[in-house]
Amino acid sequence: MSTGPGAASVPAPDPHDSPPTSDTRPRKSSMFSSLKVRNYRLFFMGQVVSNIGTWMQRIAQDWLVLSLTGSSAAVGITTALQFLPMLLFGLYGGVLVDRLRKRPTLLVTQSSMALTALALAVAVLTGHVQVWHVYVAAFAVGLATVVDNPARQSFVSELVGPQQLQNAVSLNSANFQSARLVGPAVAGILITGVGTGYAFLFNGLSFIAPLTGLLLMRARELHVVERAPRGKGQLREGVRYVTGRPELIWPIVLVGFVGTFAFNFPVYLSAFADDVFHAGAGAYSMFNTLMAVGSVAGALLAARRGTARLRLLIAAALVFGALEIVAATTPTLWMFALLMVPLGLFGMTVNVTTNTSIQMSTDPAMRGRVMALYMMVFLGGSPVGAPIVGWITDTYGARVGLAAGGAVAAVAAAVIGLILARVGNLRLSVGWHRGHPRVRFVPREQQEELAPAA
């Protein structure tokens, strides 16, 4: 087993390529540098189409359940069924991903999600759909996601290697958030024009793009990763691996707090649109669109950075929490709406930095289990926290709910930042640099050298 993220990750030699160098350190590159890698380009283009279909199905699924039942609770049940498998079986999915080859695994999981969408499309278009059909489809997609999500996350490193990992993860996030701008709009046109069935049909057919990309990839250009052998206790081994490494466990804990209490924007934004500003669905849509714009910008900015430092993660989470507190106090709709852009930007910075730093710090043979734990915490946080923040918002008002979520994120970032500084033998240094105040962490030995003699 290798001892670091770069070991056992060297691409197979290609006679047309120049000899590889031994330097596998991340380096600063252009915003779209990872798209120069043919295999990743195929993966990215397939995800562009598939992500649009995924967002279309999300909108169509909620609207279909609401039209069949007239119940918001039924919509909540559908969402819960889709996330439940990740909460129950997420870690087991990670164990499977570490044992299996990623590309064949993704071919199976993507095909199963395509067939589920097509089956639902047939049920709707033939007029035989019932709400339990949607429940079953949502649970089936959730089961596929248990394996698909960690496999896709860890497959990126096999596509581009450690040098381009930060850039590729950032572009994946930009890809998903860009689809968030297009998919719901297209779904709205289809639903109002021809019905929800065609939205499901489009999503099912959209999987042709990623499946084609996976089949066209050149296996010899993938970065070889050591797979974990089948054995007992691999789930416990994965948990011990994470808990024994501060650079892994604390970012995951931070994402757990942020995702559970600060990322519940469907609760916060709908309450502000309806109860605070009395502006209706149009304002809610505008808030989400502006946040998506900020998220795309944040992902593209992250793509320009060559490294994912934990201090950037802590700083971004602090700013994100502070911005939520500021947004909670804004007196006008337009001030609140404008704050959605930086909120999306810093929220995406937290997401991308956590994802990249965890992958870069993880042994390739453990990456599936580690990413499964990360995704279980990240994806599972919002459904768990939604009833809590919903109760706070209903009881004390939208402003208190949003401010509380921001406070939790900021406090968690500050506490975990201090823990990581202590683990790294760092101390807080406050001083002046070129006429400006500067606050930073420095090694204890360095601070002792800078301190004046008694």
Side-chain angles (χ1 to χ4, degrees):
M1 182 174 291
S2 59
T3 58
S9 300
V10 181
D14 190 320
H16 301 289
D17 290 341
S18 58
T21 64
S22 59
D23 182 12
T24 58
R25 292 175 299 173
R27 61 192 179 200
K28 191 170 183 178
S29 54
S30 65
M31 186 175 290
F32 303 102
S33 59
S34 56
L35 289 175
K36 297 176 183 177
V37 180
R38 180 183 181 274
N39 283 344
Y40 178 74
R41 190 164 60 248
L42 289 168
F43 178 82
F44 183 88
M45 293 170 63
Q47 291 301 307
V48 168
V49 179
S50 182
N51 284 336
I52 292 174
T54 297
W55 279 106
M56 291 176 63
Q57 174 145 332
R58 286 188 180 186
I59 301 300
Q61 178 177 277
D62 292 346
W63 189 260
L64 176 62
V65 171
L66 193 62
S67 63
L68 288 173
T69 65
S71 169
S72 296
V75 177
I77 291 172
T78 308
T79 303
L81 286 171
Q82 193 157 329
F83 282 102
L84 185 62
M86 179 62 75
L87 291 173
L88 295 178
F89 311 117
L91 291 177
Y92 294 98
V95 171
L96 285 175
V97 168
D98 280 336
R99 292 176 181 173
L100 302 172
R101 288 190 298 159
K102 307 299 185 297
R103 188 162 62 138
T105 301
L106 287 172
L107 285 169
V108 173
T109 57
Q110 299 274 294
S111 297
S112 65
M113 288 190 283
L115 291 174
T116 301
L118 291 174
L120 199 54
V122 170
V124 175
L125 293 174
T126 58
H128 295 96
V129 68
Q130 298 179 36
V131 69
W132 69 267
H133 294 148
V134 187
Y135 289 164
V136 171
F139 189 76
V141 170
L143 284 175
T145 302
V146 167
V147 176
D148 184 80
N149 229 316
R152 274 190 299 109
Q153 295 287 334
S154 55
F155 188 50
V156 174
S157 66
E158 296 188 25
L159 293 171
V160 300
Q163 290 181 343
Q164 297 285 357
L165 184 59
Q166 161 91 7
N167 183 264
V169 170
S170 302
L171 289 181
N172 282 352
S173 299
N175 185 335
F176 187 74
Q177 293 299 326
S178 298
R180 181 181 174 185
L181 296 173
V182 178
V186 177
I189 294 172
L190 282 179
I191 291 170
T192 55
V194 292
T196 57
Y198 288 95
F200 296 121
L201 179 62
F202 181 94
N203 184 44
L205 296 176
S206 74
F207 283 96
I208 294 174
L211 290 171
T212 301
L214 289 167
L215 291 171
L216 291 176
M217 288 178 184
R218 296 170 182 163
R220 69 180 184 276
E221 295 178 6
L222 294 173
H223 292 246
V224 180
V225 172
E226 178 186 358
R227 283 183 286 154
R230 183 184 297 272
K232 294 182 178 180
Q234 289 181 318
L235 180 60
R236 292 191 300 272
E237 182 187 9
V239 174
R240 285 197 302 268
Y241 180 85
V242 172
T243 55
R245 287 164 173 76
E247 71 275 15
L248 295 178
I249 185 61
W250 290 114
I252 291 176
V253 170
L254 176 57
V255 163
F257 278 105
V258 174
T260 301
F261 297 102
F263 267 24
N264 270 290
F265 288 108
V267 176
Y268 296 137
L269 299 188
S270 59
F272 267 85
D274 191 38
D275 300 332
V276 177
F277 298 120
H278 308 289
Y284 178 61
S285 176
M286 178 180 65
F287 295 157
N288 280 283
T289 300
L290 290 172
M291 182 166 287
V293 169
S295 297
V296 172
L300 292 177
L301 287 174
R304 290 186 63 86
R305 291 190 291 269
T307 58
R309 299 181 182 276
L310 290 179
R311 65 188 181 190
L312 174 63
L313 169 61
I314 299 300
L318 275 169
V319 175
F320 178 74
L323 282 171
E324 285 201 339
I325 296 172
V326 172
T329 64
T330 52
T332 66
L333 183 147
W334 291 109
M335 289 178 64
F336 183 84
L338 289 175
L339 282 171
M340 294 301 101
V341 177
L343 269 173
L345 190 152
F346 282 98
M348 182 54 60
T349 301
V350 172
N351 184 1
V352 171
T353 306
T354 307
N355 189 316
T356 310
S357 65
I358 289 173
Q359 292 212 47
M360 294 296 293
S361 302
T362 301
D363 188 295
M366 300 291 295
R367 192 168 281 142
R369 278 164 283 184
V370 174
M371 294 309 296
L373 178 61
Y374 163 69
M375 296 307 300
M376 185 176 71
V377 172
F378 184 67
L379 293 179
S382 291
V384 172
I388 300 173
V389 301
W391 175 81
I392 294 173
T393 300
D394 287 342
T395 305
Y396 301 103
R399 294 189 185 276
V400 174
L402 181 58
V408 169
V411 170
V415 171
I416 291 172
L418 291 173
I419 291 172
L420 288 172
R422 186 176 182 85
V423 170
N425 198 32
L426 302 175
R427 294 187 66 180
L428 186 67
S429 172
V430 181
W432 289 83
H433 179 68
R434 296 180 180 178
H436 299 284
R438 181 168 66 173
V439 179
R440 58 177 181 155
F441 286 103
V442 299
R444 291 177 184 271
E445 295 81 2
Q446 180 179 338
Q447 191 174 49
E448 290 170 359
E449 292 174 2
L450 294 175

